[in-house]
Amino acid sequence: MFSTSADAQVTIFPASSTPGTIDHGNPAPTELGVQFKSDTTGYITGLRFYKATTNTGTHVAHLWTTSGVLLQSATFTNETASGWQQVNFATPVQVTANTVYIASYWAPVGHYSIDFNYFKTKGVDNAPLHALQNGVNGGNGVYFHASKSKFPSANYESSNFWVDVVYSAQATAANPQLSVSASTLSFGSIAVNSSTTASVTLTSSGTSPLTVNSAAVSGTGFSLAAGTFPTTLNPNSSMTLQVQFKPTASGAATGQLTIGSNSTTGSSTVVSLSGTGAAANPQLNVNTSTLGFGSVAVNTAAAGSVTLTSTGSSPVTVNSASISGTGFSITGGSFPATLNPNQTMAVQLQFKPTASGSATGQLTISSNSTTGSSAAVALSGTGTATAEQVNLSWIAPSNSTDPVAGYNIYRALGSGAFQLVNSGIDTKTTYVDSSVSSGNTYNYLVKSVDQSGVESTGSNEISVAVP
């Protein structure tokens, strides 16, 4: 159940309640109501009903005695498209304890919410309020189809038409009030065609719900960036409006944010807006004018980078980056790229020489910088040849009856004849051949040698391609 303090406003249904059927679909003009009573003498300060999006037209709240005497009425204003709607009576109506009353509203185009048999076996209790079970005081809920508003004397299948009252132990008049966090907003100096936002907080500071109907912005370059209307704020709750300033020309600019509400302190609240459009000044700084990669082995890649920084008062657009020179390339950086003031980005570069010798190139950066649309970084590096070698290893014979004194290593270039490559017997089971050249394929085999210098048959052959 919806709980509340003794002096606060009480309703039969909690704000989170929703009908089973939000739109019954019947288009007939209808007065729809509920029978209720209070345990204590107090005041009905307003009336609520649940609205479908199709339940349009002007809705009017009525409070009746069970004999059909109209005690109070009020027209709903500033309704939302759907959900609970509330209107406060200009003068609260005193109700007597344990006396049955009828609360109803006029739906001129039908499409009302309904739950059949809702009150058939029980009522709804939220002390001191009680919506009556069907049969306790005749039928509940109540309605009447007619061309104009009329006392709802009929009932059908114990239906709940989702009508509610607002009760207070005291005759407290509705007092919605709006408080605004600032009466002025200054955006300072902003580059032309760039934007910034500022916020205004609206707070319901009265004793009853506040309806913020609208917010409008005037003044060149000012606009409302966020906010939904109408919005109902319960007491002490808040909402935030985002206002944007995007100047289209240099110079001072002023405007107004005008907020419309049902506040008893005034239906219109104004926040003054000001800002200055500054001439666009995009500037690009490149952290170096030269980048050297040093000595790099042929066909091996070395990495480097260049840092770009936006140093002006407005965003700079880096349109492209291009590179020239054999062996140089861009490996990282996406273009075009927009850098806000003080923002940086890195351009990743690579030098991969394909031949020995020095190499030069250039990185060219294109932008809309006011310091120059093109910036160049000189690139340099040296390709160095790599000494190639072949490392061989083998397993010594394990079942030879003739002791092994060492080994001879034979090599053949491509399909040529094998030739001895070691100058003396190799006593180890490894050999490094440093006399090979890149781009050639070599075949190897090993023969063991005994104490008398007699060679064994050759080992298996292996083929090695030197890159």
Side-chain angles (χ1 to χ4, degrees):
M1 286 295 181
F2 179 74
S3 60
T4 179
S5 63
D7 292 333
Q9 294 179 329
V10 182
T11 59
I12 299 171
F13 300 102
S16 58
S17 293
T18 57
T21 302
I22 293 178
D23 180 3
H24 179 46
N26 188 341
T30 308
E31 186 82 23
L32 304 136
V34 62
Q35 292 200 63
F36 74 96
K37 67 177 182 178
S38 171
D39 296 329
T40 56
T41 295
Y43 296 85
I44 301 301
T45 61
L47 189 144
R48 307 163 69 223
F49 78 96
Y50 200 95
K51 176 184 175 183
T53 56
T54 46
N55 186 352
T56 57
T58 301
H59 302 102
V60 183
H62 301 103
L63 183 66
W64 316 79
T65 67
T66 54
S67 61
V69 176
L70 181 62
L71 302 175
Q72 187 60 281
S73 65
T75 300
F76 287 87
T77 60
N78 302 316
E79 294 183 14
T80 58
S82 62
W84 284 106
Q85 313 297 317
Q86 179 174 328
V87 66
N88 296 316
F89 292 137
T91 303
V93 179
Q94 186 177 41
V95 291
T96 305
N98 300 312
T99 301
V100 179
Y101 297 87
I102 293 176
S104 67
Y105 80 98
W106 170 242
V109 298
H111 291 282
Y112 44 85
S113 300
I114 191 171
D115 275 314
F116 298 107
N117 298 311
Y118 196 94
F119 297 118
K120 183 176 182 179
T121 58
K122 62 180 180 180
V124 178
D125 302 309
N126 187 36
L129 295 178
H130 306 275
L132 304 184
Q133 177 182 335
N134 194 62
V136 171
N137 189 67
N140 202 18
V142 291
Y143 77 98
F144 203 93
H145 293 312
S147 60
K148 62 181 180 178
S149 176
K150 189 174 181 179
F151 175 66
S153 58
N155 61 81
Y156 180 70
E157 292 192 4
S158 311
S159 298
N160 180 8
F161 298 110
W162 294 90
V163 184
D164 198 354
V165 292
V166 182
Y167 171 91
S168 175
Q170 300 175 348
T172 304
N175 185 32
Q177 290 190 8
L178 173 65
S179 296
V180 182
S181 61
S183 59
T184 61
L185 281 183
S186 177
F187 292 86
S189 181
I190 304 298
V192 170
N193 293 323
S194 60
S195 64
T196 187
T197 59
S199 62
V200 175
T201 301
L202 312 183
T203 302
S204 175
S205 54
T207 58
S208 60
L210 168 79
T211 299
V212 182
N213 301 308
S214 62
V217 173
S218 63
T220 302
F222 300 100
S223 62
L224 192 64
T228 302
F229 307 99
T231 297
T232 298
L233 302 177
N234 290 320
N236 301 316
S237 62
S238 301
M239 71 176 293
T240 300
L241 302 183
Q242 296 287 339
V243 181
Q244 177 179 272
F245 177 46
K246 185 177 182 180
T248 57
S250 300
T254 59
Q256 280 191 166
L257 167 65
T258 304
I259 303 158
S261 72
N262 66 339
S263 175
T264 56
T265 58
S267 60
S268 182
T269 304
V270 175
V271 178
S272 298
L273 309 175
S274 64
T276 301
N281 184 31
Q283 291 188 7
L284 180 67
N285 174 264
V286 182
N287 71 321
T288 183
S289 60
T290 62
L291 180 62
F293 290 86
S295 294
V296 181
V298 171
N299 295 320
T300 302
S305 67
V306 172
T307 301
L308 312 181
T309 303
S310 174
T311 56
S313 59
S314 59
V316 64
T317 299
V318 183
N319 300 308
S320 63
S322 60
I323 201 164
S324 63
T326 302
F328 300 99
S329 62
I330 298 174
T331 58
S334 179
F335 304 97
T338 297
L339 303 180
N340 291 320
N342 301 316
Q343 187 177 358
T344 65
M345 74 173 292
V347 181
Q348 303 294 334
L349 306 177
Q350 177 180 276
F351 175 49
K352 187 177 182 180
T354 57
S356 300
S358 62
T360 59
Q362 183 171 281
L363 170 68
T364 303
I365 306 294
S366 174
S367 73
N368 68 338
S369 175
T370 55
T371 57
S373 61
S374 181
V377 178
L379 308 176
S380 63
T382 302
T384 57
T386 303
E388 305 291 351
Q389 65 183 30
V390 175
N391 298 315
L392 302 173
S393 65
W394 56 90
I395 300 173
S398 60
N399 56 358
S400 175
T401 56
D402 191 2
V404 174
Y407 305 90
N408 284 330
I409 297 91
Y410 291 86
R411 181 185 71 189
L413 177 60
S415 59
F418 280 96
Q419 307 234 349
L420 181 66
V421 293
N422 54 316
S423 57
I425 293 176
D426 187 0
T427 59
K428 301 177 181 179
T429 56
T430 60
Y431 183 79
V432 177
D433 185 4
S434 301
S435 61
V436 295
S437 300
S438 296
N440 291 323
T441 299
Y442 298 90
N443 299 310
Y444 293 89
L445 62 81
V446 177
K447 295 181 180 181
S448 60
V449 182
D450 65 12
Q451 298 290 343
S452 301
V454 178
E455 290 184 329
S456 69
T457 58
S459 67
N460 60 299
E461 296 180 17
I462 65 168
S463 180
V464 179
V466 179

